[in-house]
Amino acid sequence: MTRPTITEIRPHIRDYAELTSLEVEVAKERGSLLILPVGACEQHGDGMPLGTDSIRADHVARAVVDRLHEAARLHEAARPDAGDASGSAFVLPSIDYGVSPHHRFLPGTINIGPRLFVDLVTSVASQLADAGFDKILVLTGHGGNMAALGVAQQTLLGTHPDLVFAYSPVSALATSSTAALPRTEVSGHCGESETSQMLAIDERLVDTAHLNPGATTLADLDPRSRLSRTKSPSTAVTFDRYAENGVLGDPRTATATAGEGILGEVIDTLVAYCREMQRL
């Protein structure tokens, strides 16, 4: 039996997992960009969900893909002879466990460690590359995954040099919006930025009655913890040494409005980058 062929992808499809096998072939022919959200399942203080990093990465990935599809639709409307570009980008099923040994002494954390994380990412990416996809962007909501993603990138450069494999954090892209936040001297995990983003995504997921500050000044930290706040040279401690609740900053000052600004800046930056990837 000869399998049928198709030339179009259903226009409402945004998720890779919702494509049919026939549509996957069309997506490959179009050189579609695949976006892989990765995060973590780990403690996020007293008022934030364990999946905060995964939720943020998935939200941003979907917003970026929606924007890319809309741009493709407008382009096609303006130039119908240019062909259908509606399948230009898709969101891959996310990896919701991450590199979290620094949170393992606080409740709820599931740490898979860097080796398994690298193996997961490189296995997914290499199989997609072998199947014919050549552009993958990984978005991580968890900063602890960044070093492992660097290893994954170098591994894939050795095994699949023609694969365009990029990775990016979420919060770190919003330099202007984050700088405008009323942040404490020590800020970061479960702090003003992350909490604002979660309030903007879905305030029902935030237990606002239990948004409690953690370490807010360098004076709150012991000598080794203070040293770990230096970016370079770099050392690390487990987050229970920073504060009993594992929080850096004061999430009580977070607002949904600030979160919308942060996420908007992140999404704008990524859409511009993805358009460059799509031109390759």
mmCIF file of all heavy atoms in Angstrom, residues 38-42 44 50-55 95-100 110 141-142 145:
data_model
loop_
_atom_site.group_PDB
_atom_site.id
_atom_site.type_symbol
_atom_site.label_atom_id
_atom_site.label_comp_id
_atom_site.label_asym_id
_atom_site.label_seq_id
_atom_site.Cartn_x
_atom_site.Cartn_y
_atom_site.Cartn_z
ATOM 1 N N VAL A 38 12.310 23.518 28.400
ATOM 2 C CA VAL A 38 12.822 22.687 29.491
ATOM 3 C C VAL A 38 12.723 23.492 30.783
ATOM 4 O O VAL A 38 12.793 24.718 30.782
ATOM 5 C CB VAL A 38 14.267 22.216 29.255
ATOM 6 C CG1 VAL A 38 14.373 21.408 27.975
ATOM 7 C CG2 VAL A 38 15.236 23.394 29.201
ATOM 8 N N GLY A 39 12.542 22.792 31.874
ATOM 9 C CA GLY A 39 12.382 23.485 33.152
ATOM 10 C C GLY A 39 12.908 22.660 34.299
ATOM 11 O O GLY A 39 13.998 22.103 34.229
ATOM 12 N N ALA A 40 12.103 22.553 35.342
ATOM 13 C CA ALA A 40 12.505 21.825 36.533
ATOM 14 C C ALA A 40 11.270 21.548 37.377
ATOM 15 O O ALA A 40 10.223 22.176 37.203
ATOM 16 C CB ALA A 40 13.527 22.625 37.342
ATOM 17 N N CYS A 41 11.400 20.597 38.275
ATOM 18 C CA CYS A 41 10.400 20.372 39.314
ATOM 19 C C CYS A 41 11.157 20.512 40.632
ATOM 20 O O CYS A 41 11.873 19.599 41.045
ATOM 21 C CB CYS A 41 9.768 18.990 39.180
ATOM 22 S SG CYS A 41 8.435 18.697 40.371
ATOM 23 N N GLU A 42 11.037 21.662 41.246
ATOM 24 C CA GLU A 42 11.852 21.963 42.425
ATOM 25 C C GLU A 42 11.149 22.987 43.306
ATOM 26 O O GLU A 42 10.230 23.676 42.870
ATOM 27 C CB GLU A 42 13.213 22.510 41.997
ATOM 28 C CG GLU A 42 13.108 23.831 41.257
ATOM 29 C CD GLU A 42 14.416 24.351 40.683
ATOM 30 O OE1 GLU A 42 15.319 23.545 40.436
ATOM 31 O OE2 GLU A 42 14.517 25.582 40.479
ATOM 32 N N HIS A 44 10.002 26.170 45.134
ATOM 33 C CA HIS A 44 9.957 27.592 44.772
ATOM 34 C C HIS A 44 9.344 28.388 45.924
ATOM 35 O O HIS A 44 8.358 29.111 45.759
ATOM 36 C CB HIS A 44 9.170 27.805 43.473
ATOM 37 C CG HIS A 44 10.022 27.750 42.246
ATOM 38 N ND1 HIS A 44 10.443 26.575 41.682
ATOM 39 C CD2 HIS A 44 10.574 28.730 41.488
ATOM 40 C CE1 HIS A 44 11.197 26.828 40.621
ATOM 41 N NE2 HIS A 44 11.292 28.135 40.480
ATOM 42 N N LEU A 50 5.892 24.134 42.226
ATOM 43 C CA LEU A 50 7.142 23.420 41.957
ATOM 44 C C LEU A 50 7.530 23.494 40.482
ATOM 45 O O LEU A 50 8.710 23.488 40.139
ATOM 46 C CB LEU A 50 7.000 21.944 42.359
ATOM 47 C CG LEU A 50 6.691 21.650 43.826
ATOM 48 C CD1 LEU A 50 6.410 20.159 44.006
ATOM 49 C CD2 LEU A 50 7.846 22.089 44.722
ATOM 50 N N GLY A 51 6.532 23.577 39.614
ATOM 51 C CA GLY A 51 6.795 23.603 38.170
ATOM 52 C C GLY A 51 6.946 24.985 37.585
ATOM 53 O O GLY A 51 6.831 25.152 36.358
ATOM 54 N N THR A 52 7.244 25.985 38.420
ATOM 55 C CA THR A 52 7.359 27.371 37.954
ATOM 56 C C THR A 52 8.238 27.502 36.715
ATOM 57 O O THR A 52 7.863 28.160 35.731
ATOM 58 C CB THR A 52 7.904 28.269 39.079
ATOM 59 O OG1 THR A 52 6.879 28.434 40.083
ATOM 60 C CG2 THR A 52 8.317 29.630 38.570
ATOM 61 N N ASP A 53 9.411 26.887 36.732
ATOM 62 C CA ASP A 53 10.350 27.055 35.617
ATOM 63 C C ASP A 53 9.824 26.421 34.327
ATOM 64 O O ASP A 53 10.008 26.964 33.233
ATOM 65 C CB ASP A 53 11.706 26.464 35.980
ATOM 66 C CG ASP A 53 12.373 27.209 37.121
ATOM 67 O OD1 ASP A 53 12.010 28.375 37.362
ATOM 68 O OD2 ASP A 53 13.244 26.620 37.785
ATOM 69 N N SER A 54 9.175 25.274 34.462
ATOM 70 C CA SER A 54 8.593 24.619 33.283
ATOM 71 C C SER A 54 7.412 25.408 32.745
ATOM 72 O O SER A 54 7.246 25.554 31.524
ATOM 73 C CB SER A 54 8.146 23.198 33.648
ATOM 74 O OG SER A 54 9.246 22.403 34.032
ATOM 75 N N ILE A 55 6.582 25.911 33.652
ATOM 76 C CA ILE A 55 5.402 26.684 33.242
ATOM 77 C C ILE A 55 5.828 27.927 32.467
ATOM 78 O O ILE A 55 5.246 28.269 31.433
ATOM 79 C CB ILE A 55 4.571 27.062 34.476
ATOM 80 C CG1 ILE A 55 3.957 25.795 35.100
ATOM 81 C CG2 ILE A 55 3.474 28.063 34.113
ATOM 82 C CD1 ILE A 55 3.412 25.995 36.502
ATOM 83 N N ILE A 95 10.507 19.047 28.564
ATOM 84 C CA ILE A 95 11.234 18.257 29.565
ATOM 85 C C ILE A 95 11.071 18.997 30.886
ATOM 86 O O ILE A 95 11.618 20.091 31.068
ATOM 87 C CB ILE A 95 12.724 18.104 29.198
ATOM 88 C CG1 ILE A 95 12.858 17.336 27.877
ATOM 89 C CG2 ILE A 95 13.484 17.391 30.318
ATOM 90 C CD1 ILE A 95 14.288 17.238 27.366
ATOM 91 N N ASP A 96 10.292 18.418 31.800
ATOM 92 C CA ASP A 96 9.884 19.136 33.002
ATOM 93 C C ASP A 96 10.679 18.780 34.254
ATOM 94 O O ASP A 96 10.298 19.163 35.366
ATOM 95 C CB ASP A 96 8.391 18.914 33.260
ATOM 96 C CG ASP A 96 7.525 19.541 32.170
ATOM 97 O OD1 ASP A 96 7.971 20.530 31.569
ATOM 98 O OD2 ASP A 96 6.419 19.034 31.914
ATOM 99 N N TYR A 97 11.764 18.034 34.078
ATOM 100 C CA TYR A 97 12.707 17.784 35.163
ATOM 101 C C TYR A 97 14.043 18.387 34.763
ATOM 102 O O TYR A 97 14.395 18.383 33.582
ATOM 103 C CB TYR A 97 12.871 16.286 35.424
ATOM 104 C CG TYR A 97 11.597 15.593 35.808
ATOM 105 C CD1 TYR A 97 10.884 14.847 34.877
ATOM 106 C CD2 TYR A 97 11.092 15.685 37.101
ATOM 107 C CE1 TYR A 97 9.712 14.204 35.220
ATOM 108 C CE2 TYR A 97 9.910 15.048 37.461
ATOM 109 C CZ TYR A 97 9.223 14.314 36.514
ATOM 110 O OH TYR A 97 8.056 13.687 36.856
ATOM 111 N N GLY A 98 14.795 18.883 35.749
ATOM 112 C CA GLY A 98 16.039 19.554 35.411
ATOM 113 C C GLY A 98 17.166 19.270 36.369
ATOM 114 O O GLY A 98 17.115 18.359 37.206
ATOM 115 N N VAL A 99 18.204 20.079 36.225
ATOM 116 C CA VAL A 99 19.424 19.954 37.025
ATOM 117 C C VAL A 99 19.216 20.779 38.300
ATOM 118 O O VAL A 99 19.372 21.999 38.296
ATOM 119 C CB VAL A 99 20.644 20.453 36.232
ATOM 120 C CG1 VAL A 99 21.916 20.258 37.038
ATOM 121 C CG2 VAL A 99 20.740 19.729 34.889
ATOM 122 N N SER A 100 18.860 20.110 39.389
ATOM 123 C CA SER A 100 18.445 20.819 40.610
ATOM 124 C C SER A 100 19.099 20.302 41.892
ATOM 125 O O SER A 100 18.456 20.285 42.949
ATOM 126 C CB SER A 100 16.924 20.739 40.751
ATOM 127 O OG SER A 100 16.253 21.237 39.635
ATOM 128 N N ILE A 110 12.677 17.410 42.577
ATOM 129 C CA ILE A 110 13.063 16.181 41.874
ATOM 130 C C ILE A 110 14.219 16.546 40.955
ATOM 131 O O ILE A 110 14.050 17.245 39.964
ATOM 132 C CB ILE A 110 11.900 15.601 41.053
ATOM 133 C CG1 ILE A 110 10.708 15.278 41.967
ATOM 134 C CG2 ILE A 110 12.348 14.348 40.303
ATOM 135 C CD1 ILE A 110 9.470 14.831 41.214
ATOM 136 N N GLY A 141 13.481 27.619 31.548
ATOM 137 C CA GLY A 141 13.028 28.496 32.617
ATOM 138 C C GLY A 141 13.860 28.351 33.863
ATOM 139 O O GLY A 141 13.694 29.110 34.817
ATOM 140 N N HIS A 142 14.764 27.376 33.879
ATOM 141 C CA HIS A 142 15.588 27.074 35.047
ATOM 142 C C HIS A 142 17.052 27.365 34.748
ATOM 143 O O HIS A 142 17.650 26.739 33.866
ATOM 144 C CB HIS A 142 15.405 25.596 35.427
ATOM 145 C CG HIS A 142 16.268 25.129 36.544
ATOM 146 N ND1 HIS A 142 16.425 25.838 37.717
ATOM 147 C CD2 HIS A 142 17.026 24.006 36.682
ATOM 148 C CE1 HIS A 142 17.240 25.183 38.527
ATOM 149 N NE2 HIS A 142 17.620 24.072 37.909
ATOM 150 N N ASN A 145 19.909 24.694 34.446
ATOM 151 C CA ASN A 145 20.082 23.852 33.248
ATOM 152 C C ASN A 145 21.090 24.417 32.262
ATOM 153 O O ASN A 145 21.471 23.732 31.305
ATOM 154 C CB ASN A 145 18.745 23.701 32.514
ATOM 155 C CG ASN A 145 17.716 22.917 33.285
ATOM 156 O OD1 ASN A 145 18.047 22.124 34.157
ATOM 157 N ND2 ASN A 145 16.441 23.138 32.976
#
